Amino acid sequence: MSLVAACAAAGVLAGPRWQWLPIAAGALAALLLGALRLRGPRPGRRPALRAAASALVLASCLGAAGAGGLAAWAVPVPAFPEPSGPHPVGAVTVQWEDPGREETWTDDPRDHRVVVARVWYPAAPDGAGDRAPSTYLGRDAAEAETVAEGLAAGFGLPGFVFSDAAAARARAVTGAAPAAGPHPVVLFSPGLGGVRTQNTVWAEGLASHGYVVAALDHPYDSAVVVLDDGTEVRGAVEATGDPAQDDRLARGWADIRAADLDLALVRLLEADGGPLAGLADPGRVAVAGHSLGGAAALLAAEDDPRYHAVVNLDGLPRLSADASLPQPLLALVAASGTGGAEGDARYARELDAAFAASAGPGYELTVPGTAHLGFSDSPFLLPPLPSLVGSLGREETARITEAACLAFLDSALNGGGADVADTLSGLGRLTPKP
């Protein structure tokens, strides 16, 4: 009865969550067991057998309740921090089409490449009015549920596991009136199978400090992309198991993403209406990415003077041997490594080659206590396992990532700010690159 009461109280306070189902089942079984015991022993029932059966049922009840409690702890209701900068943050979702580029994932020659972007920007002090913060994973609740199911499928989990993320709210306000521009721009590509909102905390933090951040969904690569007309485009990337073939495929996927970033830059700078008009400064543009998105960012910046800085969040560079990067480069590296000595050696070798191709200055920052997924919003969504998201807790990796990027971008794009090397040295193990 105490367990039933605790479940009811927790459900009322926290709201309905799937994690309460096993707890409620355990509580109900315990209540039934208690009712049976109140009836007293039945004639002919052996006391020892009755006690063993009761103990087994009670252990099952406690096990179910414990499993539900563990699930509630491991997959929490996302609680995103307030952006750290002085500006409130607005956001808008846009769709851009490239009529000159055929969609390589389909056979229809009339199908042209389309990308969907979430754009965060500094808002005017009273630009949000009384509107509520935006839905985290999509334009509305229906899209958020679709994206949550797609992300869960990417981890091999049932769709309801990320139902709390589907219901979560970000800090930015959709359609808030923007602060007068122009502002420096950061284009962002997520990890393999990732979605445009996977680095929302980071993007909102940059926007609160005066940056316009445009993060992309890459159709057929992202877990699921919902187009303006409601069409759902599911991810189609798939490894073959052959390392050489998978490397070629990954380079091809990164090339497509790089072209998507170029499209986003053109459309963002061309914006002549809505909240994005006049916001982007073509003289202050950075390109960034996480994991495969980091590789795409480097490919987009190759020999392209439109980009003035590059940020690689733990991505394996896939540049050609004669690549040239006319920009400074910041690389954040997870201290947990790739999971194997061979992978670590290749990553270090490719990263050194990227720094050698860069015009500099270059900064390689290895952050103690971090894992690969920690450089996204994953610590707010996934179990806090060190091998999965690092050991810094739910907010610390996000704080370090934002602080490192702000120091680098303020120097590279705005020509000011604190000493980059000094700031980065306080955030991890810094290796300056010539």
Side-chain angles (χ1 to χ4, degrees):
M1 290 179 182
S2 297
L3 193 54
V4 170
C7 269
V12 169
L13 292 175
R17 302 182 65 200
W18 65 266
Q19 291 90 335
W20 292 117
L21 292 177
I23 301 177
L28 180 60
L31 185 61
L32 293 175
L33 175 63
L36 291 173
R37 289 188 62 97
L38 287 174
R39 292 175 54 189
R42 296 174 61 184
R45 180 66 62 86
R46 300 177 188 175
L49 181 60
R50 180 170 179 267
S54 297
L56 179 61
V57 173
L58 182 58
S60 299
C61 295
L62 294 176
L70 180 63
W73 166 81
V75 187
V77 176
F80 303 119
E82 287 280 359
S84 61
H87 298 281
V89 179
V92 65
T93 298
V94 294
Q95 179 174 302
W96 292 313
E97 180 179 356
D98 186 350
R101 182 158 59 117
E102 291 185 8
E103 177 55 76
T104 57
W105 289 94
T106 68
D107 296 328
D108 186 352
R110 298 168 298 176
D111 189 7
H112 298 105
R113 185 64 173 172
V114 172
V115 299
V116 179
R118 184 68 167 169
V119 183
W120 294 266
Y121 52 86
D126 57 351
D130 57 356
R131 283 173 289 182
S134 56
T135 303
Y136 171 57
L137 284 180
R139 301 173 181 87
D140 51 32
E143 182 179 5
E145 290 178 4
T146 299
V147 174
E149 291 171 359
L151 290 173
F155 285 100
L157 300 172
F160 66 79
V161 171
F162 286 153
S163 59
D164 290 322
R169 292 277 179 173
R171 296 292 185 173
V173 173
T174 299
H183 305 283
V185 176
V186 181
L187 300 176
F188 180 79
S189 178
L192 182 66
V195 296
R196 63 181 185 264
T197 56
Q198 72 157 58
N199 278 59
T200 290
V201 173
W202 173 81
E204 290 182 340
L206 294 186
S208 74
H209 286 272
Y211 288 83
V212 174
V213 183
L216 304 187
D217 273 336
H218 301 281
Y220 301 98
D221 183 333
S222 296
V224 59
V225 181
V226 180
L227 303 181
D228 283 349
D229 63 2
T231 301
E232 297 177 10
V233 182
R234 300 283 170 172
V237 295
E238 186 175 349
T240 66
D242 180 339
Q245 175 66 5
D246 288 342
D247 262 350
R248 287 191 291 271
L249 288 173
R251 171 58 194 258
W253 300 333
D255 281 331
I256 293 172
R257 286 164 164 257
D260 290 346
L261 289 164
D262 290 342
L263 169 63
L265 176 59
V266 171
R267 293 291 183 266
L268 196 58
L269 295 179
E270 287 178 347
D272 56 3
L276 300 181
L279 283 189
D281 184 347
R284 294 181 293 167
V285 178
V287 61
H290 172 242
S291 194
L292 185 65
L298 287 163
L299 288 170
E302 185 176 348
D303 293 321
D304 195 334
R306 295 177 301 171
Y307 297 106
H308 307 98
V310 187
V311 176
N312 176 22
L313 302 180
D314 208 36
L316 174 68
R318 297 180 180 277
L319 294 169
S320 53
D322 58 348
S324 174
L325 298 174
Q327 310 90 354
L329 169 62
L330 169 66
L332 268 60
V333 179
S336 64
T338 64
E342 184 177 345
D344 290 346
R346 181 189 178 190
Y347 182 48
R349 185 170 61 251
E350 297 294 347
L351 196 56
D352 284 342
F355 279 114
S358 168
Y363 307 93
E364 178 182 339
L365 181 67
T366 302
V367 184
T370 54
H372 182 65
L373 291 179
F375 292 116
S376 66
D377 290 342
S378 294
F380 298 95
L381 310 175
L382 300 178
L385 302 176
S387 61
L388 194 61
V389 296
S391 58
L392 298 180
R394 298 206 183 272
E395 294 190 18
E396 184 62 9
T397 306
R399 184 194 69 80
I400 291 173
T401 304
E402 178 187 315
C405 291
L406 279 174
F408 173 73
L409 293 172
D410 282 347
S411 175
L413 301 184
N414 299 328
D419 179 80
V420 179
D422 185 60
T423 300
L424 296 180
S425 295
L427 300 173
R429 188 172 70 250
L430 175 64
T431 307
K433 297 293 184 176

